[in-house]
Amino acid sequence: MKDSREIIHKKVEAMDIEHQFEPQIPAANGGYGAYREDYAQEGFQFVAYWRIIRKRFWLVVGIAVLLTTLAAIYVARKPDIYEARGKVQVDSEQANPDLITSDRRSSVSSQDLSYFNTQLQLLNSESLLRRVVKELSLDSNPEFQKAKAQESVSAWRSMLKAVGLTNSDNKKKDSAVDEVSVASSTNLASSEDIAEAVRLSPYIEIIKKNLVVEPVRESRTTNKDTRLIEIAYRHTDPKLAAFVVNGISEIFALENQEKRTGTSSKTNDFLQKRIANLQSEIKNGEIKLVELTRDFGILKTDNDQTIVIDRLAGLNKQLLDAENDRKNAEAKYLAVNRSPESINAQVEDKMARYITERENNIRALIIDTQKKIAEKKATREKLLVEYLPAAQEIRELDNEIKTLQDEINKATRANQEDLDNFRRRTAQDLLEGLKTDYLKTKAQEDSIRAAYNAQYDQAQGQNQSGVSLRLLQQEIETKNGFLENLIKQQRENDVIAVGTDNNISVAEIAIPPEIPVAPRRVMTVLAALFLSTLFGMGLALFLEYLDDTIRTTEEVENYLQLPALAAIPRIDSIPKRRLLLVGANEDGDANPATDLLIHNDSRSSLSEAYRQLRTSILLSTAGHAPKSLLITSSLPAEGKTTTAVNTAISLAQTGANVLIIDADMRRPRLHSIFNISNAKGLSTLLSSELADESILSVIGYDKESRLNLLTSGPVPPNPAELVGSEQMSNLLKIMQKHFTHVVVDSPPIASFTDGVLIASMVDGVILVVHSGKSSRQVIRRSKQLLQDIGVKIFGVVLNNVDLRSQDNYYYYQSYYHRDNYRQDNE
């Protein structure tokens, strides 16, 4: 042991000599700038991503398997979809010389692509598809009705409707009604056409969703267009798919023929409906003519007066009566409004009744309160026999009597205020009643006057009866002439339509396919596997981003910019359980029975980890090993006490005289680990003036671990004041004279200030970080607290490392092969 210690000291001296000849360049971050530069250059490389994915490998696999299985089940349940294809030929348009209607079209050159593109768009138009649905009776087809029902009750549509992203059926009906009114007002279409279009719109959407119309090219390499248009339609029924394609092709050609001849089915329907409407209007006009002839001056009363004149006389009498009623009501209202004293008699009459009722209530309240006052006064007289007027009991009775008297006064004032308010309300109600009567009579007068004026205008209109009858007769004659022209045009168009060629024809009919084109089950499953794997990887990276803990030595050096001195493995993750030393208690270790297992096996992986920590400590300062060392943590339960004890034992194994001090006077544990008394200790030394011999007499010695022990002593009420005192600094100086190394265990520095105070008195500090538990932010805060006071931080000990995790796979392999090698040598 002594030889190894001498070798280490020689290496330190050699390093110190080399440092003397090197230029001293100040480093950022307290001397640890190299870590920042190295990791800044490397960045978050692909290897880091791979380690994160390996760390959560089963999460990625689980997500990929789950989503792929769901996708496989979904596509397996999907029915086979067949695609039927047909072709339509669109030749150049030629004018018809025999067409005598006004709808003429000039010839179009074969090079005019606009005509071809127009026909391509018309094949997708809703008007064509609407006619296809009607003529092929697809709205009554069971397959289309089933598709419509599934679309209306689909889960996705219900979800969109719930969040307001799609309109409900009621809103669609309302919008359809609005469209009908707009179309009727602009003569674009009749209300029946709009209603029919709204009814067929779901079936049109079903067709458009599965319909593909594309121009046919000569070849994919030349990319030259032809005069052919390919129509493809997909459906689960191959026969129905072919039926729809052939129907679209035939109706498209037929519609083009109707447009060229000017006799489309829509035009014929319009002419027929217009002729029927004109005939109905002419008939209604003739009936109206008879009725007007009878109404204008023919219907008379017994006194040889017309009915209109009799009604006018009756309304005149009613108007005179209404004017008189209005004038009387107006006079009363204005009289009261100008002189309010005129309603005082009525107000006083109501006030008398109200005052009588209120006085009865107030009188009962006053009598009851006066009885209480009399009782209180009688009680007071009795108490005056025994107490003085200034006594507490007498004063309380006086206050109660005063309170009751105040209640009487308050009730009296409230009664008077209520009477005043009632007077004002009564006068206002009477005035409002007169105003209401006036407004009512005025409204009645206005209503009768409006009826009188209307009847008067009607009487005046009888003088123009002759003019109205002549205008109606002229209108009937005009409609008769228009009816003759429509009938003539219908006959002419029927004759012209014969013999007109059609430039659009069906080039290839669709036949029911035998092989389905969808779903592509294998491709879908492979795509689901690929996407779900990417999603699982993304989720793994996101979870890693949310993880704020330190798990590996690389993260220590990357996030904290501090050296990672050692990684202490967790007991249950060590490949071969040969334990040198382990902490097991509230500090976060595995075995709760004891903190000392160092004597079990000095060749175990755990022993090697602490030997590595010992070497890092001895080489942490230039020229000599550190005399005093503080081992602390950011938060409780990170293993600082265990690390401090085992580090001290590891230093003692080199033959050095090592002292460990339990400076955690809030939760001392050193005495329980070594099973010694805590009657005297650090608190005893700091709270008294003792000589060096007396101080050394308090220090204990453990033969098994060869450690000198200074426990915390009795827990003081002011640990921070004792630790930060000059006595503590002097004590450490004395201990450094008598011992090779002094290891101090302090409370967590993020929770208490004791550790920060001790850190300023020692050569350096080691931070203990619990792997997978300690927060980066808390550790950075602890590091900043130490650096703010100029403390030298030797580095970080990563405690309780799980060697079996993917993060520490390198350490696991290292310890595993090392133990196998030692086992083979044994």
Side-chain angles (χ1 to χ4, degrees), residues 48-57 60 537 540-541:
Y49 287 107
W50 174 243
R51 288 177 180 175
I52 293 173
I53 294 172
R54 285 188 57 187
K55 177 181 175 181
R56 292 178 170 85
F57 176 74
V60 177
M537 292 179 179
L541 295 175

Side-chain angles (χ1 to χ4, degrees), residues 563-575:
L565 302 180
I568 309 301
R570 197 169 64 193
I571 294 179
D572 56 359
S573 66
I574 298 176

Side-chain angles (χ1 to χ4, degrees), residues 440-452:
K440 184 177 179 181
T441 54
K442 187 175 184 301
Q444 186 177 2
E445 178 189 0
D446 294 339
S447 176
I448 296 174
R449 187 179 299 278
Y452 174 81

Side-chain angles (χ1 to χ4, degrees), residues 397-454:
L397 285 174
D398 291 341
N399 291 334
E400 293 177 359
I401 293 171
K402 183 178 178 183
T403 301
L404 293 173
Q405 189 63 41
D406 292 341
E407 291 180 358
I408 294 175
N409 297 334
K410 183 178 179 181
T412 304
R413 290 193 301 270
N415 181 51
Q416 185 60 38
E417 293 177 358
D418 187 49
L419 291 176
D420 295 339
N421 292 333
F422 181 77
R423 184 187 301 275
R424 288 192 296 271
R425 289 197 304 270
T426 303
Q428 186 176 1
D429 292 343
L430 290 175
L431 184 60
E432 290 293 332
L434 294 175
K435 182 179 179 181
T436 301
D437 294 339
Y438 162 66
L439 295 176
K440 184 177 179 181
T441 54
K442 187 175 184 301
Q444 186 177 2
E445 178 189 0
D446 294 339
S447 176
I448 296 174
R449 187 179 299 278
Y452 174 81
N453 293 333

Side-chain angles (χ1 to χ4, degrees), residues 96-371:
N96 184 6
D98 297 329
L99 187 62
I100 61 174
T101 60
S102 59
D103 188 10
R104 298 284 187 177
R105 294 179 177 85
S106 61
S107 62
V108 182
S109 173
S110 60
Q111 302 298 326
D112 189 4
L113 296 179
S114 61
Y115 175 74
F116 181 81
N117 293 331
T118 302
Q119 302 305 315
L120 189 65
Q121 296 299 321
L122 289 176
L123 271 171
N124 278 310
S125 64
E126 292 190 1
S127 59
L128 175 64
L129 298 180
R130 189 179 302 115
R131 184 173 177 180
V132 170
V133 172
K134 291 174 63 177
E135 295 194 7
L136 299 183
S137 300
L138 296 180
D139 54 339
S140 60
N141 186 280
E143 293 292 336
F144 276 81
Q145 290 180 349
K146 181 180 178 181
K148 177 186 176 184
Q150 290 178 351
E151 182 179 1
S152 60
V153 299
S154 63
W156 178 247
R157 184 178 180 87
S158 301
M159 186 183 302
L160 293 178
K161 187 184 296 183
V163 298
L165 296 180
T166 184
N167 295 328
S168 61
D169 296 337
N170 294 332
K171 292 183 179 179
K172 287 185 178 181
K173 291 180 180 179
D174 295 340
S175 62
V177 173
D178 295 338
E179 291 176 1
V180 170
S181 61
V182 172
S184 299
S185 61
T186 57
N187 294 326
L188 295 178
S190 63
S191 59
E192 292 80 5
D193 293 337
I194 296 297
E196 184 71 7
V198 172
R199 186 183 69 84
L200 297 179
S201 59
Y203 303 100
I204 297 174
E205 292 297 328
I206 294 173
I207 295 178
K208 292 181 67 176
K209 190 185 301 181
N210 301 287
L211 181 65
V212 177
V213 179
E214 294 178 343
V216 178
R217 292 178 171 82
E218 292 183 359
S219 64
R220 297 182 178 179
T221 56
T222 58
N223 199 22
K224 292 183 179 180
D225 293 331
T226 64
R227 283 291 174 180
L228 297 178
I229 299 177
E230 185 178 57
I231 303 173
Y233 182 73
R234 292 188 175 189
H235 199 271
T236 56
D237 186 357
K239 296 182 179 179
L240 182 59
F243 179 66
V244 172
V245 172
N246 292 328
I248 294 175
S249 302
E250 293 174 3
I251 294 174
F252 178 64
L254 178 62
E255 191 174 70
N256 182 73
Q257 177 70 13
E258 292 174 351
K259 289 180 181 178
R260 290 175 58 81
T261 58
T263 58
S264 65
S265 61
K266 185 176 180 180
T267 303
N268 287 332
D269 293 341
F270 171 76
L271 290 174
Q272 292 176 2
K273 291 180 180 179
R274 187 56 181 156
I275 290 172
N277 291 335
L278 282 175
Q279 291 174 349
S280 177
E281 290 176 1
I282 292 171
K283 182 178 179 180
N284 293 333
E286 293 174 349
I287 295 174
K288 185 177 180 181
L289 179 63
V290 175
E291 292 178 350
L292 290 177
T293 304
R294 180 185 58 196
D295 292 339
F296 291 157
I298 296 176
L299 297 178
K300 298 183 178 180
T301 60
D302 296 336
N303 55 359
D304 202 20
Q305 292 289 336
T306 63
I307 295 177
V308 175
I309 298 299
D310 285 345
R311 290 178 180 175
L312 186 63
L315 289 173
N316 186 35
K317 183 177 181 302
Q318 294 178 10
L319 181 61
L320 293 176
D321 296 338
E323 287 180 350
N324 293 330
D325 294 339
R326 189 262 305 167
K327 291 179 181 178
N328 293 331
E330 183 179 8
K332 292 180 181 180
Y333 171 67
L334 294 177
V336 172
N337 195 23
R338 294 172 181 172
S339 57
E341 295 80 4
S342 59
I343 62 172
N344 287 339
Q346 300 179 15
V347 174
E348 292 300 331
D349 182 46
K350 292 186 177 182
M351 283 293 299
R353 294 193 298 271
Y354 185 72
I355 290 172
T356 303
E357 181 180 353
R358 289 290 298 175
E359 285 182 351
N360 292 334
N361 296 334
I362 294 299
R363 187 179 298 109
L365 177 62
I366 293 174
I367 293 173
D368 183 60
T369 306
Q370 287 177 348
K371 287 181 180 180

Side-chain angles (χ1 to χ4, degrees), residues 569 574-575 578 603-609 815 818-819 822:
I574 298 176
R578 298 173 176 176
R603 295 176 300 175
S604 65
S605 301
L606 198 58
S607 300
E608 184 64 29
Y815 290 142
R818 184 186 298 119
D819 280 355
R822 288 175 178 171

Side-chain angles (χ1 to χ4, degrees), residues 506-640:
V506 178
E508 182 179 332
I509 64 172
I511 60 176
E514 297 180 356
I515 301 176
V517 296
R520 297 183 178 180
R521 293 182 172 85
V522 177
M523 291 296 297
T524 303
V525 172
L526 292 178
L529 176 61
F530 177 72
L531 295 177
S532 60
T533 304
L534 290 182
F535 175 74
M537 292 179 179
L539 181 61
L541 295 175
F542 179 70
L543 293 177
E544 181 68 19
Y545 172 77
L546 296 179
D547 189 0
D548 190 42
T549 60
I550 299 292
R551 295 182 179 273
T552 65
T553 55
E554 289 81 1
E555 292 180 356
V556 170
E557 297 175 350
N558 189 15
Y559 294 112
L560 302 181
Q561 306 298 314
L562 292 174
L565 302 180
I568 309 301
R570 197 169 64 193
I571 294 179
D572 56 359
S573 66
I574 298 176
K576 296 177 70 74
R577 299 192 179 184
R578 298 173 176 176
L579 304 180
L580 162 71
L581 169 63
V582 135
N585 45 48
E586 67 273 10
D587 276 349
D589 299 312
N591 187 358
T594 179
D595 285 283
L596 293 177
L597 298 175
I598 193 168
H599 52 277
N600 288 347
D601 189 352
S602 62
R603 295 176 300 175
S604 65
S605 301
L606 198 58
S607 300
E608 184 64 29
Y610 277 103
R611 280 194 290 269
Q612 180 183 351
L613 175 60
R614 178 185 66 192
T615 303
S616 300
I617 293 173
L618 294 176
L619 298 176
S620 59
T621 56
H624 61 85
K627 296 287 292 183
S628 57
L629 174 68
L630 173 66
I631 297 180
T632 184
S633 62
S634 300
L635 297 173
E638 294 195 71
K640 63 175 183 59

